[in-house]
Amino acid sequence: MPRMPSKTELQESFGGRGPHVANRSVHADLRDDERKGRLMREGQIQDNCTVQVETLVSFGEGGPVSDVSDWIEFGRVKFVKRPIMTTGSMRVAFVDEWALNEEASNYDPVVHFAVPCLSQALRFRTDERGFYTGAKVLFFALGSVPADFQSVIYTLFTGPAIRTA
């Protein structure tokens, strides 16, 4: 029966640094190859990339139209074409309003004031290569609202894009 190599023999193999060094460099090389491949895949144009934005909007004395937002940056996503925008909203309870139960079966339209709200793109920002990198958005309610009305407005930008590192 052949004997197992000694500690000294193992240390002297693989260039005097031991067998674990050979394993570690293979794993590091595989990890680096995977990362390079992932970055190349993400550097290609991909369909249906999305950027989701959730904004708490307060409507003041100006009525159903809120102020224009600051620039909404798309982050690592750079849209190749102007993105399609989808929007919706969720009501925010007033301070003195009694809460809805778990099933919302105690909803009363007189007490729980709700008005649908939307967003509309005013302007898109592009970089030097023509990719869309941000948007300025207008928020508005689809009806008359009191001065202290708040709503959470969701905006979803969708389109072909490149994800940058």
Side-chain angles (χ1 to χ4, degrees):
M1 180 169 177
R3 67 175 183 80
M4 294 293 293
S6 69
K7 181 178 179 182
T8 306
E9 290 172 335
L10 282 174
Q11 290 297 331
E12 290 176 356
S13 63
F14 299 101
R17 294 181 291 175
H20 65 281
V21 175
N23 290 339
R24 190 177 312 135
S25 65
V26 169
H27 294 307
D29 291 343
L30 289 173
R31 185 184 63 235
D32 291 343
D33 288 345
E34 188 278 332
R35 183 176 185 277
K36 288 176 190 173
R38 183 170 23 92
L39 291 175
M40 286 187 69
R41 284 190 305 276
E42 289 181 352
Q44 298 173 359
I45 296 174
Q46 300 172 357
D47 289 334
N48 297 326
C49 289
T50 61
V51 173
Q52 304 168 21
V53 181
E54 178 181 325
T55 310
L56 176 64
V57 178
S58 299
F59 294 89
E61 297 295 330
V65 177
S66 175
D67 291 334
V68 177
S69 73
D70 292 333
W71 281 103
I72 296 172
E73 299 294 334
F74 297 151
R76 292 182 49 218
V77 176
K78 293 186 177 188
F79 289 102
V80 178
K81 296 180 184 176
R82 186 172 51 230
I84 296 171
M85 202 172 102
T86 309
T87 183
S89 65
M90 182 179 80
R91 69 176 295 277
V92 174
F94 286 100
V95 176
D96 56 349
E97 174 181 298
W98 39 276
L100 292 171
N101 59 17
E102 290 291 323
E103 294 81 29
S105 59
N106 63 338
Y107 171 73
D108 182 4
V110 175
V111 175
H112 302 100
F113 187 72
V115 174
C117 298
L118 300 174
S119 60
Q120 180 180 14
L122 292 177
R123 181 95 170 111
F124 284 98
R125 178 187 286 174
T126 58
D127 64 4
E128 63 278 354
R129 296 190 299 176
F131 294 143
Y132 292 88
T133 60
K136 203 164 258 224
V137 176
L138 171 69
F139 301 108
F140 59 94
L142 295 179
S144 297
V145 294
D148 56 347
F149 183 75
Q150 289 185 328
S151 181
V152 176
I153 300 179
Y154 301 96
T155 308
L156 177 70
F157 298 94
T158 307
I162 297 174
R163 294 184 189 273
T164 58

